[in-house]
Amino acid sequence: MFTDFFRKKCHEKIFLEKSGDSPSLKRSRGEFINSKMELFMILKRVFSLVLTIFVGGILAGSVSAQKYGGTLVIGTTDQRMGFDPAGHQPDHQGSPAGHDYLIYPDVRKGTYGDGSSTLSTWSAPYASWTCGLCESWEAFPTKIVFYLKKGVKFRNKAPVNGREIDANDVLATWNAATKISNTEASGNKDKYTWTVLDKYTIQVEWNDPTAEFDKFGGLVGGWGIFPRELVEQDIDRNNWKNTYGSGPFYPSKFIKNNVTVFEKNSDYWGTDPLNPGNSLPYVDKLNVVVMDEAALKAGIVSGKIDASFWFQPWSVSDVRDLKKSNSNLVVTSGPAKTQMIPVNITRKPFSDKRLRRAVMLAINHEEMNQSLYDGTAMFPIMPTYPGSAPYYLSLEEMEKERPDLAMQYGYYPEEAKKLLAEAGYPKGFKTNMIVAEFGREAAEATSLYLSQIGIDMEIRIVEDAKMYSMTMNKKPDPTYTDMAWSDSGCTSAFASCNLAIHMDPRGPMPWMGQGNTEFEKSDYGQEFITLMDDFMKETNPDEHLKKWKKLAYWANEELWFIPLMMTSGSHFQQKWMHNYNGVIGWMNMRSHFLKYSYLDVDLRKQLSGRGAEG
């Protein structure tokens, strides 16, 4: 699994060990790497600006080229296709197409707009959202009032029969979502009160003065509005035939683990904000086809599918081969998997913060990025990843305000050795790491880095589900003694997700196995709780962000997990499909946002032989 680069380094390590030398003595103290990183970040920003201007110019000149009709064929490896609009988004990917939401990520700020937002459903600030079914909203310190659009109707099908949507339907949807255990609404049902003020007005308020600006999207935009009759008459919302929403597409065929067909809602009320006056959706039909990875890659190469449904975490070499095999392919990169090392800080040796910092200083982040990921990975990622404005802490910002923390993303093996000696391990120590297959390659690279400072790490490969069950609960497996390799369910979630869900000892999913009573009562646990609650209860936006930064820097100091990098995934679409690669941050609302996509059917016929029907 090792790349040639790390194989070479491994041979170098063995040779130098035999000769009595150490490769770490032959390295600089990271100044050269850090200067390269600064240049890399500057070039990345310049490239991003040029790309935004370039794409904007193309789009501005191609508005008239938008076309109606045709069938979009989307390939996915994800078999989850539930249809309950109030359900957990990742498990109900069939529901967004048929429903509208109270609010949406604003596409005018995304890839095809001004490029100012990643359009993340769960991590965007107020300014990145716009009304869906609401006409407008007013935000106050402890409540938000939504004013609904008038005249928007549900599907014209008994027993709803196309009646107008009103505030009681919004309330019914919220109440239904709170009864489903793994939804954002369920987790917050005791904190928020929704009240119908009149037919077209509804407000949400919270009892304590908690601003929670970063959770705005997950709380309000995480469920599609459905008619209250479905609850009153106990109609099965997860049955695809019972889609009554006001969305752009309705499911007309569903074969589990095979295909879902969506037909255009010819009465859809929405228009294209990027092209005012254009009615939506553009295409007549969506075919979402479930396939294995090999079939998806084959469909991408052959042009039999128009796009992949989501970002695929495939290797750099795989992506390069696909692009080489299909010159008509448009490839967009975006965040895929968080690479991090949870450490068990309740036990020695990693209860000593010096050893956790030593591990960070021993890992060459940029070298790993270039060697394993062809320079496409992103860091820092603690506690959020690049693009999570305004909560992201960039390396440049750290270097100005906390150079001691920015240093942790450089490469300083000699400093790491000094910390080991201070902690009582001058000759290093033996440790182990629980790793799922997806982290094997990076774990092996980490093991090699740690060996340079005297830490002998055993890698234990387990199945993905086993790794999570061993570490992601309040009573972790007793064999989880030192370290593990993991990703995070908070890739695009609200900014404090990694803190609130995975690290807060009071949280539901303490991935680090530290959510136990003893840890919560400890000085460390109490310090975290104090900082977290102070941040969450701040209602002044400026103070809110200041307290966020204080908490984020504290997290980088304590290192209860070792943050590495966010690897990139790739989204694939054919050149005849337009207005889709901006779905990077739409999370599981992506089938709804296919309403903005359109096809050049003539070009598809010319290049692939496929006609309008796909």
Side-chain angles (χ1 to χ4, degrees):
M1 297 290 291
F2 254 170
T3 62
D4 291 339
F5 174 85
F6 277 107
R7 287 195 185 95
K8 181 179 178 181
K9 289 184 70 64
C10 192
H11 289 313
E12 173 190 334
K13 170 182 178 290
I14 294 171
F15 172 78
L16 290 171
E17 281 180 344
K18 288 181 178 179
S19 64
D21 204 350
S22 170
S24 60
L25 296 176
K26 296 176 178 282
R27 299 182 185 277
S28 71
R29 294 171 57 82
E31 290 84 354
F32 179 63
I33 287 293
N34 284 339
S35 65
K36 287 202 302 181
M37 289 170 62
E38 291 175 3
L39 178 61
F40 174 74
M41 295 300 291
I42 292 171
L43 291 175
K44 186 166 72 170
R45 287 199 300 272
V46 172
F47 175 75
S48 177
L49 177 61
V50 172
L51 181 62
T52 298
I53 295 172
F54 177 70
V55 172
I58 292 175
L59 294 170
S62 64
V63 170
S64 61
Q66 297 214 352
K67 299 180 179 182
Y68 288 89
T71 298
L72 270 175
V73 180
I74 309 295
T76 179
T77 57
D78 196 337
Q79 297 182 353
R80 297 173 296 181
M81 192 58 74
F83 293 90
D84 185 353
H88 183 230
Q89 282 190 3
D91 301 321
H92 293 83
Q93 298 184 44
S95 67
H99 297 83
D100 286 302
Y101 294 72
L102 199 56
I103 59 173
Y104 297 133
D106 191 346
V107 294
R108 293 170 298 182
K109 299 181 183 298
T111 303
Y112 294 101
D114 62 17
S116 64
S117 174
T118 58
L119 300 182
S120 172
T121 305
W122 287 335
S123 67
Y126 284 118
S128 295
W129 289 86
T130 190
C131 271
L133 287 178
C134 72
E135 187 67 42
S136 62
W137 76 71
E138 290 182 277
F140 303 92
T142 57
K143 70 177 179 180
I144 304 172
V145 179
F146 294 97
Y147 303 95
L148 303 186
K149 285 183 171 72
K150 298 178 181 179
V152 179
K153 297 180 178 181
F154 288 119
R155 187 178 187 181
N156 190 11
K157 176 181 176 182
V160 183
N161 299 318
R163 70 163 177 80
E164 186 181 28
I165 297 173
D166 63 40
N168 287 295
D169 298 305
V170 178
L171 180 61
T173 306
W174 164 262
N175 288 336
T178 64
K179 293 179 172 60
I180 301 173
S181 62
N182 57 350
T183 63
E184 183 73 13
S186 174
N188 288 281
K189 62 184 176 183
D190 297 328
K191 297 177 64 175
Y192 298 93
T193 301
W194 288 74
T195 305
V196 172
L197 302 183
D198 62 42
K199 185 176 181 180
Y200 300 108
T201 311
I202 188 168
Q203 76 174 16
V204 55
E205 56 188 339
W206 39 101
N207 299 324
D208 58 33
T210 302
E212 296 197 83
F213 295 113
D214 62 328
K215 286 189 179 181
F216 183 60
L219 176 69
V220 182
W223 28 274
I225 307 302
F226 65 82
R228 55 187 177 275
E229 286 89 342
L230 272 62
V231 173
E232 296 167 352
Q233 300 181 31
D234 197 25
I235 296 173
D236 181 9
R237 299 190 305 272
N238 203 37
N239 187 327
W240 65 274
K241 296 180 181 179
N242 294 331
T243 298
Y244 291 86
S246 58
F249 301 98
Y250 294 129
S252 60
K253 180 180 180 180
F254 173 63
I255 302 175
K256 187 176 181 180
N257 299 335
N258 188 318
V259 64
T260 307
V261 178
F262 298 90
E263 304 282 348
K264 175 179 180 176
N265 176 6
S266 58
D267 295 323
Y268 188 61
W269 59 273
T271 58
D272 189 346
L274 295 173
N275 299 284
N278 284 8
S279 61
L280 296 173
Y282 288 103
V283 300
D284 293 332
K285 187 183 294 186
L286 307 175
N287 290 351
V288 180
V289 184
V290 177
M291 50 186 67
D292 61 27
E293 183 177 308
L296 179 57
K297 289 179 179 177
I300 289 170
V301 170
S302 67
K304 290 183 178 179
I305 66 168
D306 299 307
S308 58
F309 208 9
W310 193 231
F311 283 80
Q312 305 297 327
W314 293 336
S315 69
V316 172
S317 59
D318 280 347
V319 175
R320 191 183 295 121
D321 289 344
L322 290 170
K323 291 169 69 175
K324 185 177 180 180
S325 301
N326 183 351
S327 60
N328 297 319
L329 207 56
V330 178
V331 182
T332 304
S333 296
K337 274 194 175 293
T338 307
Q339 302 278 13
M340 62 185 187
I341 304 174
V343 289
N344 192 335
I345 67 172
T346 64
R347 299 169 53 109
K348 290 183 178 181
F350 291 109
S351 55
D352 190 325
K353 183 167 62 176
R354 291 172 296 185
L355 297 188
R356 305 197 295 271
R357 181 172 169 84
V359 170
M360 271 292 282
L361 294 173
I363 297 172
N364 191 327
H365 282 65
E366 183 59 20
E367 187 176 68
M368 184 184 290
N369 177 22
Q370 295 296 333
S371 302
L372 294 185
Y373 308 116
D374 207 21
T376 62
M378 297 169 282
F379 61 89
I381 56 167
M382 169 69 100
T384 56
Y385 72 99
S388 299
Y391 298 95
Y392 180 61
L393 284 177
S394 68
L395 192 60
E396 295 92 335
E397 193 171 6
M398 282 191 188
E399 287 171 343
K400 290 178 181 178
E401 299 179 351
R402 290 294 304 274
D404 58 318
L405 300 183
M407 179 182 178
Q408 294 178 158
Y409 294 92
Y411 180 56
Y412 299 92
E414 294 306 312
E415 292 295 326
K417 288 180 180 180
K418 289 179 182 178
L419 288 172
L420 289 180
E422 290 176 12
Y425 297 92
K427 296 183 179 180
F429 58 89
K430 291 186 177 182
T431 186
N432 64 81
M433 179 185 287
I434 301 168
V435 185
E437 186 60 43
F438 71 78
R440 178 197 288 265
E441 190 172 52
E444 290 174 339
T446 298
S447 176
L448 181 57
Y449 281 128
L450 295 186
S451 71
Q452 307 305 299
I453 64 169
I455 298 178
D456 182 5
M457 187 182 83
E458 174 193 0
I459 296 176
R460 299 165 54 202
I461 304 295
V462 299
E463 293 182 354
D464 290 13
K466 177 66 173 175
M467 181 199 69
Y468 294 130
S469 68
M470 293 175 76
T471 62
M472 186 179 150
N473 55 68
K474 294 194 174 186
K475 293 184 178 180
D477 190 292
T479 62
Y480 170 39
T481 57
D482 290 5
M483 296 189 288
W485 192 273
S486 192
D487 58 357
S488 172
C490 293
T491 303
S492 299
F494 55 89
S496 61
C497 179
N498 272 322
L499 302 173
I501 294 182
H502 302 319
M503 278 146 275
D504 193 327
R506 304 161 297 180
M509 297 188 298
W511 282 34
M512 314 318 161
Q514 295 151 14
N516 51 62
T517 304
E518 291 73 21
F519 177 69
E520 184 173 348
K521 290 179 179 178
S522 69
D523 291 342
Y524 176 79
Q526 285 299 303
E527 186 174 3
F528 171 84
I529 290 170
T530 299
L531 288 169
M532 184 70 173
D533 288 355
D534 190 38
F535 155 69
M536 296 301 287
K537 291 177 181 179
E538 180 57 63
T539 59
N540 180 285
D542 292 334
E543 291 300 314
H544 184 78
L545 288 176
K546 287 180 182 178
K547 290 181 177 180
W548 161 258
K549 184 177 288 189
K550 181 179 180 180
L551 176 60
Y553 279 145
W554 183 85
N556 274 275
E557 281 181 356
E558 297 300 328
L559 294 173
W560 62 85
F561 68 76
I562 308 299
L564 293 178
M565 56 200 69
M566 174 79 73
T567 62
S568 291
S570 298
H571 165 258
F572 305 89
Q573 68 184 67
Q574 310 295 345
K575 66 189 299 182
W576 54 77
M577 180 182 175
H578 302 275
N579 282 20
Y580 183 50
N581 67 15
V583 301
I584 172 175
W586 286 334
M587 297 293 287
N588 298 92
M589 293 169 69
R590 52 188 176 269
S591 62
H592 179 94
F593 282 89
L594 283 168
K595 66 184 180 183
Y596 298 110
S597 301
Y598 67 96
L599 284 168
D600 185 333
V601 175
D602 294 335
L603 184 62
R604 183 168 72 178
K605 178 69 173 177
Q606 174 187 338
L607 296 178
S608 73
R610 296 166 54 210
E613 293 304 311

